């Protein structure tokens, strides 16, 4: 059975009338860059994240850069994150002129290991970026406590964690700022590129709004030299429509994860993801681990089952970060995960039959390939 990795058409079909009407409104009002549809989405998204402010921008990468830049991070500063994330997290640090410092991840959650955080802090450290990888929030209580005791800013990379929860908090509401991507394949995806930063700090919100729009408070009066990071009007309208469905879509992802985990829990050396007791994982990615990853992936692909690897090369081993001189072996858990992880098809419209087909294919493949 053919199973795609994700299916954006299946998401569009049931909402197409509403979506087409919303897009048509933007065109009728010619509200193409920023404007009322983006402002409405900012209100809606801030409320969804239990935050006071949301600043819409042009991508998750620009959200991270806006937050770092507005917090005053620059040359000579160090910012701590993990090496098993999408490169955008580290790129935003580099784009501000600061240096990314990596700490290894926890073997169970694949998120920043807070026990290793303190040792990575130096007098140059200004901020920590915990990445809520795959849709699971990091151990924020420990991270916030350590950051607080060293006077560090905390910027949540929530680009994979729209609506994820940790204890009584929503992803993006715990640090100084929360950065979101609305890249089409994310849990909340635009029809193009888009992102947002959430915060509860009014001055920071104001600063980010200024930098995003050429440093202007009033048109053509520029208090600082910023840049253009505005969100398109069409994306604002699309995202407001989709936001209404996000909680239900996340629920569906969680149910799919339960179905996968039930069927995969006793197969070969497969390690299934840990569903946190103190929060809500929103399964942007459902990743399993096996020593036989490459062979399994090949087998699944031959059966028409599309999988992914998030991520095959940890950041310290990327050519782009060669200059950091962090040899293989520097972050053993991240490196093992890069070798062993495989992301299975995951999207709200996935059917039980498709999940069964994926699990069956894994079950029949493993004894043959190992
Ligand atoms: C997607 C993603 C980003 C970047 O978002 P873009 O909208 O693609 O710029 C940053 N960090 C993580 C963890 C992501 O998954």
């Amino acid at each position: 059975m053919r199973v795609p990795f994700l299916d954006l058409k299946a998401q569009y079909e049931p909402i197409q009338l509403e979506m087409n009407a919303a897009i048509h409104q933007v065109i009728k009002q010619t509200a193409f860059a920023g404007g009322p549809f983006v402002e409405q989405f900012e209100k809606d998204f801030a409320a969804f994240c239990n935050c006071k402010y949301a600043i819409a921008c042009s991508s998750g990468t620009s959200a991270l850069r806006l937050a770092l830049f507005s917090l005053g991070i620059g040359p000579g500063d160090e910012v701590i994150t993990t090496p098993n994330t999408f490169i955008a997290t580290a790129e935003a640090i580099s784009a501000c002129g600061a240096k990314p410092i990596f700490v290894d991840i926890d073997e169970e959650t694949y998120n920043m290991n807070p026990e290793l955080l303190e040792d990575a802090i130096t007098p140059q450290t200004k901020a920590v970026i915990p990445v809520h990888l795959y849709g699971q929030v990091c151990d924020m209580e420990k991270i916030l406590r350590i950051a607080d005791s060293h006077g560090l800013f905390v910027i949540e990379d929530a680009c994979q964690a729209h609506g994820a929860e940790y204890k009584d908090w929503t992803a993006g509401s715990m640090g100084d700022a929360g950065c979101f991507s609305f890249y089409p394949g994310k849990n909340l995806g635009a029809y193009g590129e888009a992102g947002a930063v959430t915060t509860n700090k009014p001055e920071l919100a104001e600063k980010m709004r200024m930098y995003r729009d050429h440093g202007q408070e009033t048109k053509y009066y520029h208090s600082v030299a910023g840049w253009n990071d505005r969100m398109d009007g069409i994306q604002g309208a699309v995202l407001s429509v989709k936001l209404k469905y996000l909680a239900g879509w996340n629920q569906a992802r969680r149910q799919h994860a339960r179905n996968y985990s039930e069927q995969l829990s006793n197969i070969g050396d497969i390690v299934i993801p840990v569903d946190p007791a103190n929060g809500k994982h929103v399964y942007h990615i459902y990743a399993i681990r096996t020593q036989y990853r490459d062979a399994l992936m090949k087998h699944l692909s031959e059966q028409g089952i599309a999988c992914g690897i998030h991520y095959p090369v940890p950041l310290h081993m990327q050519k782009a970060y060669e200059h950091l001189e962090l040899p293989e072996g520097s972050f053993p858990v991240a490196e093992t995960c890069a070798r062993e992880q495989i992301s299975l098809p995951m999207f709200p419209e996935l059917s039980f039959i498709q999940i069964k087909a994926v699990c069956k294919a894994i079950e029949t493949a493993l004894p043959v390939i190992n």
Side-chain angles (χ1 to χ4, degrees):
M1 176 187 266
R2 209 190 75 82
V3 186
F5 186 67
L6 91 175
D7 188 349
L8 294 177
K9 259 193 187 157
Q11 192 189 54
Y12 171 62
E13 270 159 17
I15 59 172
Q16 60 177 299
L17 290 180
E18 190 183 4
M19 189 58 92
N20 294 355
I23 294 171
H24 192 215
Q25 274 307 315
V26 180
I27 299 169
K28 269 193 6 200
Q29 297 184 31
T30 63
F32 297 124
F37 295 94
V38 172
E39 283 163 26
Q40 184 60 50
F41 173 67
E42 287 179 327
K43 287 198 189 91
D44 300 342
F45 193 65
F48 178 83
C49 296
N50 292 307
C51 281
K52 286 207 184 101
Y53 313 99
I55 291 85
C57 61
S58 56
S59 71
T61 312
S62 60
L64 287 159
R65 197 181 37 188
L66 263 180
L68 285 162
F69 198 87
S70 302
L71 287 167
I73 312 287
D77 296 337
E78 294 179 354
V79 179
I80 302 173
T81 190
T82 38
N84 67 322
T85 171
F86 183 53
I87 194 165
T89 320
E91 273 176 336
I93 300 169
S94 304
C96 291
K99 183 181 178 186
I101 302 292
F102 300 121
V103 297
D104 209 352
I105 53 167
D106 174 83
E107 211 166 340
E108 283 204 340
T109 62
Y110 311 132
N111 280 334
M112 178 180 282
N113 183 343
E115 311 301 329
L116 303 173
L117 179 54
E118 201 128 31
D119 279 348
I121 297 171
T122 74
Q124 281 72 50
T125 311
K126 289 285 156 30
V128 187
I129 309 185
V131 182
H132 305 323
L133 200 73
Y134 303 154
Q136 167 159 228
V137 178
C138 295
D139 190 348
M140 288 304 287
E141 217 149 44
K142 283 192 191 141
I143 293 171
L144 287 167
R145 195 181 318 125
I146 295 166
D148 197 44
S149 70
H150 291 269
L152 309 178
F153 295 119
V154 175
I155 299 166
E156 298 170 65
D157 183 337
C159 286
Q160 303 188 358
H162 321 71
E165 290 169 14
Y166 170 86
K167 298 186 179 174
D168 295 327
W169 298 286
T170 309
S173 70
M174 291 165 272
D176 295 279
C179 298
F180 291 86
S181 163
F182 307 119
Y183 184 76
K186 300 289 163 92
N187 287 29
L188 179 63
Y191 286 178
E193 305 274 357
V197 191
T198 50
T199 185
N200 285 312
K201 301 191 153 173
E203 303 87 37
L204 180 60
E206 227 19 73
K207 242 186 184 163
M208 293 194 290
R209 271 198 197 104
M210 267 206 318
Y211 279 117
R212 150 188 89 167
D213 196 16
H214 302 292
Q216 58 189 0
E217 279 168 280
T218 359
K219 203 166 171 76
Y220 300 137
Y221 289 83
H222 310 270
S223 344
V224 290
W227 58 86
N228 175 6
D229 245 334
R230 292 183 302 255
M231 181 189 275
D232 289 349
I234 286 181
Q235 304 313 337
V238 165
L239 290 166
S240 278
V241 169
K242 282 199 179 189
L243 185 60
K244 295 186 290 184
Y245 300 97
L246 180 56
W249 287 336
N250 281 344
Q251 245 352 86
R253 287 174 183 270
R254 288 173 52 71
Q255 184 58 48
H256 300 331
R258 271 196 293 275
N259 291 339
Y260 268 132
S261 292
E262 267 170 31
Q263 295 177 56
L264 295 174
S265 60
N266 284 311
I267 297 182
D269 70 335
I270 300 274
V271 180
I272 58 171
V274 175
D275 196 75
N278 63 359
K280 199 162 98 186
H281 193 323
V282 293
Y283 294 98
H284 171 56
I285 299 282
Y286 182 91
I288 58 171
R289 280 167 62 195
T290 165
Q291 265 177 275
Y292 311 101
R293 192 265 311 274
D294 293 340
L296 177 62
M297 186 131 175
K298 185 166 168 282
H299 175 89
L300 292 177
S301 146
E302 283 161 8
Q303 312 271 308
I305 295 166
C307 297
I309 299 176
H310 301 90
Y311 295 90
V313 182
L315 297 187
H316 66 287
M317 288 161 67
Q318 295 280 0
K319 191 154 184 291
Y321 284 111
E322 245 171 26
H323 61 278
L324 296 177
E325 295 182 355
L326 295 163
E328 190 169 352
S330 301
F331 305 102
V333 184
E335 290 167 27
T336 304
C337 287
R339 270 194 307 272
E340 296 189 347
Q341 275 178 330
I342 171 168
S343 311
L344 303 184
M346 175 55 87
F347 49 93
E349 300 76 15
L350 193 65
S351 73
F352 186 69
I353 310 272
Q354 286 174 313
I355 293 172
K356 259 194 117 84
V358 175
C359 295
K360 193 90 211 144
I362 294 171
E363 197 179 349
T364 46
L366 274 186
V368 182
I369 60 186
N370 71 25

